[in-house]
Amino acid sequence: MRGRTRREFLASIGAPALVAVAISSHRTAVIRAAADEATEVLERINRWRGWAGLIPLTRHPALEAAAQAHANYYRLNIGDPDLAGMGLHREKPGNPGFTGEDILARARAQGYEGSVNENIGLTGSLSASVNAFLGTVNHRLPLLDPRYQHIGFGTVNEGTVRIEVLMVGTTAPWSEQASPEWVLWPLDGMTGVPTHFWGEAPNPFPGAQYPLGYPITAKYFGPGTVVFTRGELLREGQPVPVHFATGSGWLTRRAAFLAATAPLTLGTSYQYVIEGTIDGQPFRLSGTFRTASTSGEPLAPGAPALSLPLPPGLAAAPAAIQQRWMAIDGPVASGYREGWIFGPDAWAVRWEPYAEAPGGRRQVVYFDKARLELTNPNADLTSLWSVTSGLLVREMVLGQLQTGDFRFTSRTSPEVPLAGDPAPLNPEAPTYAGLRPHSALVTGRPSPDRRGQQISEVLRRDGVVSEDPTRVGATYAAYDPVTGHNVASPFVEWFQTQPWDPLFIIGRPIAEPYWALVRLQGEVRWVLVQAFERRLLTYTPDNPEGWRVEMGNVGRHYYEWRYGTPPPSS
């Protein structure tokens, strides 16, 4: 009975919509948060979002007005039996305080031209309701959705009339895709996790006997078709009985959720595993968390929060690039993940010519391993591709410096080692120039699909390719028909463990994978190297686990190739 009562407190529904052509005057307006409960609640929500690598929400006056108007409608019509469960989100024409029949209509009535979602609680405290939202499935997903930009609160707390309305929205065109590619909760390493899930409406686990264990959610925002096949929860290595479900509505589709069939144990470590496929390719997500030892233990990410100070080199970068770095490398800077994707800080912020950019130039930011670009600052900055990661390796291998979508300046490909120590100390290593004759983008001759075969080709510094049947440990595991090249198995397996879109970070393969003899800190080592449009990847079999696949410092290589001078120190 307690679970059923708690579910009646919470209801969630949403209404995605195309952005209207006429842009409301409220579109970019935000309000300075007042020193009230809503201010503290917003800070808490943004702290959670920061831990997950998401951009913060800002209060929007139109959503504030819509949320408060609906709270007032509830107060004026408290005796209406339809104001229960999912009916909490609807209004009846002609009733006192009516502003719109559904969430979208109510937002439009206040001038918000965008996609919206809404959570409603009946606890008598906005703070308590938001904490309860995070401990559910349907109410958690809107709070941790990377597509939303804005938020608004409305409350009534008068005697027995209590309601908390929270509306989120975005004025960007609605899309299934966003960054980061995966949003999981609880986060890997999180501590202070609650033990109970009391239920909600709609019920994510029909037929379940509440209370359950705290729910685990995983939502995919990347490209392709995701299919979830299995969810598992372990306590001290032993399976825990769970309910596992996948969403089908617009809010929960592309999401999976699981919860133990009984509340979790205080002060206990758990591991979760969620598996499935994306366009037929398998993936596996996993994480660990520890439940609170006492009811008062606060939730913590298990590492410093991602709302960390901005590195000094990024201070001059556009906000959109700062946010992209924070979403992807913020977890590394906080100690939550290992392995820089861009680098610990930017070391050059420049304007470079680009034909399609406003004024014929765009702002770019250089990191050790990449360059981030803001070609159109007026674009939808919540879109994954509003900030792009440069095709630096493609430009260097082809010897084509890109200055527009269809404009290039010919350059000689650099004689820079693809892996290992710098050129004077690394005389055997193959170079970008040596790789050029082996790219199908240059020759026009795609490589055959060799999936399943052993990789035994060796690339020398002079560009000659030979066979070495003693090279083992990697096979051709995927084939890209767009560029006509295979992908090595260590890289395919590594992609499946990463939370970001490989096409955005890595790009397509532009050459076959080759073994190469290189010098690493003066020691001769065998390394498997493969060039992709945006990155160079290396696989060193005798490296420690977790460091066998690495990214080359192509941002530094490219900067020196383009400007003819060594890059600044990072």
Side-chain angles (χ1 to χ4, degrees):
M1 293 299 294
R2 185 178 181 185
R4 179 174 298 174
T5 302
R6 185 65 173 267
R7 285 201 299 275
E8 291 174 354
F9 282 170
L10 305 171
S12 179
I13 193 170
L18 294 176
V19 176
V21 175
I23 299 175
S24 164
S25 61
H26 291 304
R27 177 182 171 116
T28 58
V30 294
I31 62 173
R32 184 179 301 276
D36 55 9
E37 185 183 30
T39 301
E40 189 277 328
V41 165
L42 178 57
E43 290 174 352
R44 191 187 316 160
I45 292 171
N46 282 337
R47 185 163 61 248
W48 296 334
R49 289 174 65 90
W51 292 346
L54 310 181
I55 62 172
L57 300 173
T58 55
R59 292 173 76 174
H60 195 292
L63 292 183
E64 295 265 309
Q68 188 59 53
H70 190 56
N72 292 337
Y73 175 89
Y74 178 83
R75 175 178 59 83
L76 295 171
N77 297 275
I78 187 64
D80 188 340
D82 290 334
L83 282 175
M86 300 306 294
L88 281 169
H89 296 279
R90 302 195 66 83
E91 296 183 4
K92 293 179 182 178
N95 276 7
F98 172 82
T99 57
E101 290 191 61
D102 56 27
I103 302 171
L104 186 60
R106 291 190 272 109
R108 291 288 188 272
Q110 303 297 335
Y112 191 82
E113 299 292 339
S115 303
V116 294
N117 200 339
E118 180 177 82
N119 284 349
I120 291 180
L122 303 174
T123 66
S125 163
L126 181 60
S127 179
S129 283
V130 166
N131 283 345
F133 295 157
L134 189 69
T136 67
V137 173
N138 294 297
H139 294 72
R140 174 191 296 167
L141 293 177
L143 297 183
L144 299 180
D145 193 316
R147 296 168 294 188
Y148 290 123
Q149 307 162 292
H150 307 132
I151 193 168
F153 303 102
T155 62
V156 169
N157 190 353
E158 300 176 3
T160 59
V161 182
R162 301 171 181 176
I163 187 170
E164 300 81 43
V165 181
L166 182 155
M167 296 184 74
V168 290
T170 177
T171 51
W174 191 256
S175 171
E176 293 284 355
Q177 296 185 29
S179 178
E181 191 173 272
W182 283 102
V183 177
L184 285 79
W185 197 271
L187 300 174
D188 186 20
M190 183 165 272
T191 61
V193 174
T195 55
H196 287 60
F197 174 30
W198 296 102
E200 62 181 327
N203 183 1
F205 302 108
Q209 296 296 311
Y210 287 86
L212 305 178
Y214 190 80
I216 294 101
T217 55
K219 182 151 184 176
Y220 180 61
F221 294 95
T225 301
V226 63
V227 176
F228 297 96
T229 57
R230 189 177 78 92
E232 181 181 40
L233 185 66
L234 303 173
R235 180 180 59 219
E236 298 177 350
Q238 298 301 311
V240 175
V242 297
H243 295 288
F244 177 67
T246 57
S248 57
W250 82 266
L251 173 65
T252 58
R253 64 174 172 252
R254 310 183 98 210
F257 22 97
L258 70 150
T261 57
L264 305 180
T265 303
L266 286 170
T268 303
S269 294
Y270 291 85
Q271 179 186 16
Y272 60 84
V273 176
I274 296 175
E275 295 179 343
T277 61
I278 299 173
D279 288 342
Q281 296 297 313
F283 70 84
R284 184 177 189 271
L285 308 171
S286 65
T288 61
F289 64 89
R290 185 172 180 82
T291 55
S293 298
T294 66
S295 59
E297 182 181 344
L299 194 66
L306 299 189
S307 52
L308 43 86
L310 198 67
L314 269 170
I321 289 180
Q322 294 175 352
Q323 291 173 356
R324 189 58 44 84
W325 180 91
M326 189 67 75
I328 295 175
D329 266 348
V332 183
S334 72
Y336 176 60
R337 295 188 189 125
E338 291 183 343
W340 296 105
I341 304 303
F342 300 116
D345 196 1
W347 38 262
V349 179
R350 301 187 65 122
W351 289 92
E352 292 180 347
Y354 202 82
E356 283 72 25
R361 62 180 193 152
R362 64 181 178 183
Q363 201 165 13
V364 301
V365 179
Y366 282 92
F367 302 85
D368 287 348
K369 300 179 183 300
R371 179 185 70 190
L372 288 178
E373 309 149 345
L374 184 61
T375 301
N376 182 6
N378 301 315
D380 167 23
L381 298 182
T382 65
S383 166
L384 174 64
W385 294 94
S386 61
V387 172
T388 52
S389 183
L391 303 169
L392 307 188
V393 178
R394 180 183 175 120
E395 290 185 39
M396 287 189 285
V397 170
L398 271 59
Q400 295 287 317
L401 192 152
Q402 190 165 9
T403 57
D405 289 351
F406 306 102
R407 293 189 183 184
F408 301 88
T409 300
S410 294
R411 292 274 186 93
T412 301
S413 297
E415 294 283 355
V416 173
L418 298 176
D421 298 335
L425 306 175
N426 197 6
E428 300 94 346
T431 66
Y432 292 92
L435 192 61
R436 187 177 189 276
H438 304 290
S439 174
L441 300 180
V442 175
T443 66
R445 297 188 300 274
S447 297
D449 185 339
R450 297 189 278 185
R451 281 178 287 185
Q453 299 178 29
Q454 196 76 21
I455 300 174
S456 58
E457 291 183 333
V458 176
L459 179 65
R460 299 194 328 218
R461 184 178 182 85
D462 58 8
V464 172
V465 173
S466 60
E467 290 282 340
D468 183 351
T470 66
R471 294 294 98 216
V472 295
T475 61
Y476 301 102
Y479 184 78
D480 190 330
V482 175
T483 55
H485 285 292
N486 295 273
V487 182
S489 55
F491 305 138
V492 172
E493 293 164 5
W494 184 68
F495 293 156
Q496 294 169 359
T497 68
Q498 301 305 309
W500 33 257
D501 178 2
L503 196 62
F504 175 79
I505 298 293
I506 306 295
R508 299 183 183 277
I510 60 171
E512 294 295 283
Y514 297 106
W515 290 102
L517 268 179
V518 305
R519 292 181 184 268
L520 291 168
Q521 297 180 335
E523 180 184 351
V524 177
R525 306 274 292 276
W526 279 106
V527 172
L528 185 71
V529 62
Q530 184 160 17
F532 295 79
E533 292 173 307
R534 309 176 196 279
R535 302 296 177 101
L536 275 174
L537 294 185
T538 60
Y539 169 66
T540 310
D542 51 355
N543 268 3
E545 183 74 30
W547 296 98
R548 291 173 184 165
V549 175
E550 297 178 281
M551 295 184 184
N553 288 332
V554 300
R556 305 190 73 81
H557 298 167
Y558 179 89
Y559 188 94
E560 185 165 1
W561 175 67
R562 179 173 184 132
Y563 291 104
T565 183
S569 299
S570 56

